[in-house]
Amino acid sequence: MPELPEVETIARGLARRVSGDVIESVWLSNKKEPFKSAPKQIAKTLADTRILDVRRVGKHIVIDLQPVNRASLKTSSARQWIVHLGMTGRMLIETPDAEIPKHTHAIAKLSSGRELRFVDPRRFGRLAVSETSFTGPGAEPLDISLEEFAKLFRKRKTPIKSALLNQKLLHGVGNIYADESLFRAGIRPKRRAASLTRTELERLHKAVKEVLREAITLGGSSVSDYVDSEGREGFFQLQHRVYLRTGEPCLVCKTPIKRIVVAGRGTHYCPKCQK
Ligand SMILES: [Zn+2]
């Protein structure tokens, strides 16, 4: 599943390649699952709009659109195409003669002659449109202040790892980055969120941002089978310090990394460095 850094990388790649282009028309598949908004509404909202920008909000890709003809300018201003990639969703920019893969669910024809396609074999991805500004649930982990961050966990009795994964609190922190952040902050994943001291919260706040920023710099670190907006397979891998390193020596103290399950997710930590 692409996490925040992968989605950021994909959104930036798309922004670079399609900003300024105009969506002329849209084809949608007859499968139900990929469409969170009604397909008719999606087609209507996207057609005849200029792509102003593509950016990440949480783990969503938000494509900002502006109607290009005067008639629709009167009725609506902000429009957004919101894409969640799910497990295997991909946004591809192709020429019309490029083969259309089997699990293509949307094709937006662009005035530049290219096509922006949404392909998703496992159909956990979602397409939606919005006419109000989409902010998603939860706070943005790269922008949140220490005060706001501390407040999120103040009365939480759940393990800190579950709280980090809770998209209603922080949006976009997934399993890999939760484990890596907790390792860097020296905090055990099962600690009750409310039990974290001020110093620990400071370390965690810093670690979450650091880990995400490093991964964005590297272009995301997910190991799954998706490609970026230019169709390149895979991404550079962040040097994981604990994630999927069960039994391997901790890079700091050489203690074998342990694996437990928290919030139903495989969780990796160093029993010596994390307290
Ligand atoms: Zn260690």
Side-chain angles (χ1 to χ4, degrees), residues 250 253 270 273:
C250 169
C253 73
C270 171
C273 294

Side-chain angles (χ1 to χ4, degrees), residues 14-65:
L14 286 170
R16 206 174 56 241
R17 300 184 68 205
V18 299
S19 292
D21 215 332
V22 170
I23 299 176
E24 292 182 334
S25 61
V26 178
W27 170 89
L28 301 169
S29 76
N30 57 11
K31 297 284 186 293
K32 279 197 194 112
E33 301 93 324
F35 307 109
K36 207 175 165 192
S37 306
K40 261 187 191 166
Q41 196 199 343
I42 295 177
K44 201 178 131 210
T45 307
L46 300 189
D48 296 316
T49 59
R50 185 179 304 280
I51 299 172
L52 298 180
D53 195 11
V54 185
R55 59 205 166 83
R56 177 191 60 77
V57 175
K59 286 197 216 175
H60 295 84
I61 295 169
V62 173
I63 303 169
D64 292 310
L65 304 168

Side-chain angles (χ1 to χ4, degrees), residues 56-86:
R56 177 191 60 77
V57 175
K59 286 197 216 175
H60 295 84
I61 295 169
V62 173
I63 303 169
D64 292 310
L65 304 168
Q66 186 183 52
V68 285
N69 67 61
R70 282 164 184 277
S72 51
L73 262 178
K74 276 180 206 154
T75 53
S76 112
S77 47
R79 291 185 184 191
Q80 295 176 325
W81 180 11
I82 299 147
V83 180
H84 194 282
L85 297 172

Side-chain angles (χ1 to χ4, degrees), residues 71-268:
S72 51
L73 262 178
K74 276 180 206 154
T75 53
S76 112
S77 47
R79 291 185 184 191
Q80 295 176 325
W81 180 11
I82 299 147
V83 180
H84 194 282
L85 297 172
M87 305 277 287
T88 52
R90 292 185 282 159
M91 294 290 280
L92 299 174
I93 301 161
E94 302 278 16
T95 51
D97 58 336
E99 190 193 338
I100 297 173
K102 196 171 159 201
H103 302 282
T104 301
H105 302 296
I107 300 176
K109 287 193 177 297
L110 304 177
S111 61
S112 60
R114 301 173 300 169
E115 294 180 350
L116 180 53
R117 299 178 182 174
F118 177 69
V119 181
D120 187 10
R122 294 190 60 185
R123 276 186 253 148
F124 287 106
R126 294 288 178 268
L127 303 181
V129 288
S130 172
E131 301 212 359
T132 54
S133 186
F134 176 80
T135 51
E140 173 58 46
L142 288 175
D143 301 335
I144 191 167
S145 69
L146 175 59
E147 283 316 311
E148 292 169 90
F149 186 84
K151 213 188 277 174
L152 294 180
F153 306 116
R154 201 164 283 162
K155 285 179 182 161
R156 300 259 149 200
K157 291 185 178 134
T158 55
I160 183 62
K161 162 102 185 235
S162 317
L164 282 176
L165 292 178
N166 183 344
Q167 301 294 305
K168 286 178 193 146
L169 299 179
L170 275 181
H171 61 204
V173 180
N175 204 35
I176 299 174
Y177 302 104
D179 282 6
E180 293 297 312
S181 303
L182 287 167
F183 174 74
R184 290 196 194 189
I187 298 165
R188 287 212 183 186
K190 271 196 157 171
R191 282 273 303 280
R192 276 185 175 205
S195 78
L196 266 59
T197 63
R198 180 74 185 183
T199 318
E200 286 172 327
L201 285 167
E202 274 173 31
R203 289 206 306 260
L204 185 58
H205 176 251
K206 189 167 163 258
V208 167
K209 291 188 185 212
E210 242 175 47
V211 164
L212 292 173
R213 288 207 183 104
E214 277 175 32
I216 289 168
T217 308
L218 292 171
S221 72
S222 194
V223 280
S224 60
D225 61 334
Y226 68 94
V227 292
D228 69 6
S229 72
E230 299 183 31
R232 288 181 304 222
E233 299 264 350
F235 282 94
F236 293 105
Q237 273 225 45
L238 182 79
Q239 169 71 41
H240 297 150
R241 298 185 191 172
V242 286
Y243 185 73
L244 295 185
R245 294 192 65 245
T246 312
E248 290 176 40
C250 169
L251 299 175
V252 174
C253 73
K254 305 223 161 40
T255 303
I257 299 299
K258 270 189 113 169
R259 182 185 187 276
I260 53 171
V261 174
V262 179
R265 309 293 301 274
T267 296
H268 313 78

